[in-house]
């Protein structure tokens, strides 16, 4: 897994529906916080994917995050 932290203005729970539309999925940070914190964090899994799929997923995720800045 990778744990990513974004600028405070990024809300990963708000990004998730847009990611799902692009066939991406991640776990928003607040799901790992008992207080609902970590809104600008996400956990990514890369264990089950081939390199070309990971590269494409990273490209799509970057587009989604950039559009939220």
């Amino acid at each position: 897994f990778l744990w990513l932290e974004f600028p405070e203005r990024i809300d990963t729970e708000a990004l998730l529906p847009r990611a799902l539309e692009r066939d991406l999925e991640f776990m928003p940070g607040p799901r790992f916080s008992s207080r609902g914190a970590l809104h600008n964090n996400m956990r990514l899994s890369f264990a089950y994917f081939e390199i070309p799929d990971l590269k494409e997923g990273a490209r799509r995720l970057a587009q989604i995050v950039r559009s939220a800045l």
Side-chain angles (χ1 to χ4, degrees):
F1 298 102
L2 293 175
W3 185 258
L4 303 178
E5 182 176 351
F6 297 98
E8 284 291 322
R9 64 184 177 267
I10 299 292
D11 181 350
T12 57
E13 287 191 301
L15 290 181
L16 184 57
R18 292 172 30 198
L20 292 171
E21 289 174 0
R22 309 254 349 242
D23 293 323
L24 299 173
E25 189 168 3
F26 56 82
M27 294 298 290
R31 297 184 188 181
F32 299 94
S33 171
S34 62
R35 297 175 308 189
L38 306 172
H39 70 277
N40 61 319
N41 292 259
M42 72 172 59
R43 187 180 84 165
L44 297 175
S45 173
F46 58 89
Y48 303 106
F49 302 97
E50 300 294 326
I51 298 295
D53 295 327
L54 291 171
K55 287 180 178 180
E56 177 61 20
R59 187 186 68 75
R60 291 180 196 177
L61 182 59
Q63 289 175 333
I64 292 166
V65 171
R66 277 191 212 111
S67 73
L69 292 174

